[in-house]
Amino acid sequence: MTTIKAICCIGAGYVGGPTCSVIALKCPEIKVTVVDLSKPRIDSWNSEKLPIFEPGLDDIVKKCRGKNLFFSTDIDSAIREADLIFICVNTPTKTFGLGKGRAPDLKYIESAARHIAEIADGEKIVVEKSTVPVRAAESITRIFDANGSRGKFQVLSNPEFLAEGTAIKDLMEPDRVLIGGEQTREGYKAIEALSSVYEHWIPKENVIKTNTWSSELSKLAANAFLAQRISSINAMSAICEATGANVSEVASAIGRDTRIGRHFLQASVGFGGSCFQKDVLNLVYLSEALNLPEVANYWYQVIAMNEYQRRRFASRIVNCLFNTVTDKKIALLGFAFKKNTGDTRESASIYICKYLMEEGARITVYDPKVEKDQIMLELTQPSISEDPERVERLITIADDPYKAVKDAHALVVCTEWDEFKTYDYKRIYDSMLKPAFAFDGRMILDHCHLHEIGFQVETIGKVVSSGYMLPLTPPLAPPKEEK
């Protein structure tokens, strides 16, 4: 079995940084180098303020950095020195061309593979950590074989299953580690070498070894199944609101069934993040490419339901505010796609803002971790807004939640930050215009208490108060696609 003495991680993002930091902590005899083309990103990893927020990550990086954990832009040296190379680059959904809106863009994967082929010599284990479609490892191998490099490579699939906000815990105590490789003598040897790294802190029985394609598909399938559960309970929430049922009670009841389980049955304004939507769309595209249209349509409904939930919630805001939000101030609490992260990718807040801006609302955004520049960047993307000047006019970023809600017609909770539960809502109510509305898109507030204070309360999956509710209007139109 190959002994791993040095690891190179290409890509210093949400996967590469935390993963390699934990490996460095648990494997002090292994030199771990995280490399990236972006000097500002590497400088951030070498500074006191890391480029990503993840509970527990700061302590690990500070403990290992400069000892056996290094962050560098010297990609060539790190590749030459490494026995094992992780590819942790971004694989976004294509925004143009064939497969636009569904297929993964693999240009960064290909670029990394070509760079490795050009630079590396000797035996190397190259590991896919990025989410990729099935048989991507085969494409990487073909690049290595076709470029006549001096290296001898084994390509493995080792997808990550960490969740943002709990990434360090997920890495320290994973449900499983999945390693896929070629079913050959050399492939088995490479699988065992990578497994030996994880076995420093993970029981051997928790390491699942498969062929490469099963590993690649398992990553897409896992996220698709989780996204499906969220869309399913959100579909139930719409029925609950129409019938008077309580979606939390329904979720609790069905979650007691051990065949179903309790996880991912929290109704909300919709899922976000870098993985769920992208991976489901990848599965849709894969199914279409394999001439399985019924399978593609099935998985696409997971995305359609998520989009419907966002539109439905935004439409409810407009409906409750007397069918117009033009020039009304709405305080939006939370812009990250979930608590305990500063990541805003595919956040429901982006789409809620988009819908409300189309209706002329003036929105004040507060988030405890997301910077102003990041919020404005998300809202001025061409696929979200065609008029950046209009965004500048309608969007205000607040650095204090009480300032955000002052003189607002409504507050809208879009991220489940724990601090939102602790605010002085009597003080907030007194500072707002009346009637004051509270829209809880994450079901985290004390709705009875808010109602007693005087709020008109609206939430997902149940009816709290509807005294000012007008007849339902059609859902808002979906965002316009970029032409």
Side-chain angles (χ1 to χ4, degrees), residues 412-443:
V412 182
V413 175
C414 284
T415 309
E416 69 278 22
W417 287 104
D418 290 336
E419 71 173 62
F420 294 168
K421 305 174 188 177
T422 66
Y423 291 166
D424 183 347
Y425 282 95
K426 179 64 168 65
R427 173 185 171 188
I428 288 175
Y429 176 79
D430 290 342
S431 72
M432 293 174 63
L433 299 182
K434 308 301 185 296
F437 288 84
F439 297 90
D440 186 359
R442 294 294 174 179
M443 300 183 67

Side-chain angles (χ1 to χ4, degrees), residues 367-427:
D367 189 285
K369 288 296 179 182
V370 182
E371 302 288 344
K372 175 181 178 179
D373 290 346
Q374 181 62 30
I375 294 173
M376 297 307 292
L377 178 65
E378 292 283 12
L379 294 178
T380 53
Q381 289 183 14
S383 60
I384 297 297
S385 173
E386 297 179 1
D387 186 357
E389 292 184 2
R390 188 164 184 265
V391 175
E392 292 278 356
R393 186 172 70 252
L394 294 177
I395 298 292
T396 302
I397 312 300
D399 58 5
D400 178 270
Y402 295 100
K403 292 178 182 177
V405 299
K406 189 177 187 305
D407 295 326
H409 292 78
L411 66 87
V412 182
V413 175
C414 284
T415 309
E416 69 278 22
W417 287 104
D418 290 336
E419 71 173 62
F420 294 168
K421 305 174 188 177
T422 66
Y423 291 166
D424 183 347
Y425 282 95
K426 179 64 168 65
R427 173 185 171 188

Side-chain angles (χ1 to χ4, degrees), residues 234-251:
N234 281 341
M236 289 296 108
S237 74
I239 298 175
C240 288
E241 291 169 29
T243 61
N246 184 325
V247 72
S248 296
E249 294 173 349
V250 172

Side-chain angles (χ1 to χ4, degrees), residues 21-143:
S21 296
V22 170
I23 290 176
L25 177 70
K26 295 296 186 178
C27 307
E29 77 281 8
I30 298 177
K31 179 180 179 181
V32 181
T33 305
V34 181
V35 297
D36 201 285
L37 289 172
S38 171
K39 187 176 184 301
R41 179 177 292 178
I42 291 298
D43 289 343
S44 294
W45 279 107
N46 285 317
S47 70
E48 290 300 308
K49 185 178 181 181
L50 302 185
I52 65 175
F53 171 73
E54 194 66 46
L57 179 60
D58 278 29
D59 293 338
I60 293 174
V61 171
K62 290 175 182 177
K63 185 174 182 178
C64 300
R65 191 171 57 195
K67 297 176 182 178
N68 71 321
L69 175 63
F70 303 91
F71 298 92
S72 173
T73 55
D74 189 354
I75 299 174
D76 294 0
S77 295
I79 289 174
R80 292 191 186 99
E81 186 179 8
D83 304 301
L84 187 151
I85 302 170
F86 285 123
I87 298 180
C88 299
V89 296
N90 193 19
T91 54
T93 301
K94 291 182 70 174
T95 57
F96 61 89
L98 186 64
K100 172 186 174 181
R102 300 189 182 191
D105 188 342
L106 300 182
K107 63 183 178 183
Y108 301 116
I109 291 277
E110 181 179 344
S111 177
R114 292 185 181 279
H115 199 146
I116 293 168
E118 179 184 352
I119 298 300
D121 54 17
E123 293 187 358
K124 305 286 184 183
I125 299 172
V126 178
V127 183
E128 297 173 332
K129 290 294 286 184
S130 305
T131 301
V132 293
V134 181
R135 304 194 81 92
E138 186 176 60
S139 300
I140 294 173
T141 300
R142 288 175 61 190
I143 290 173

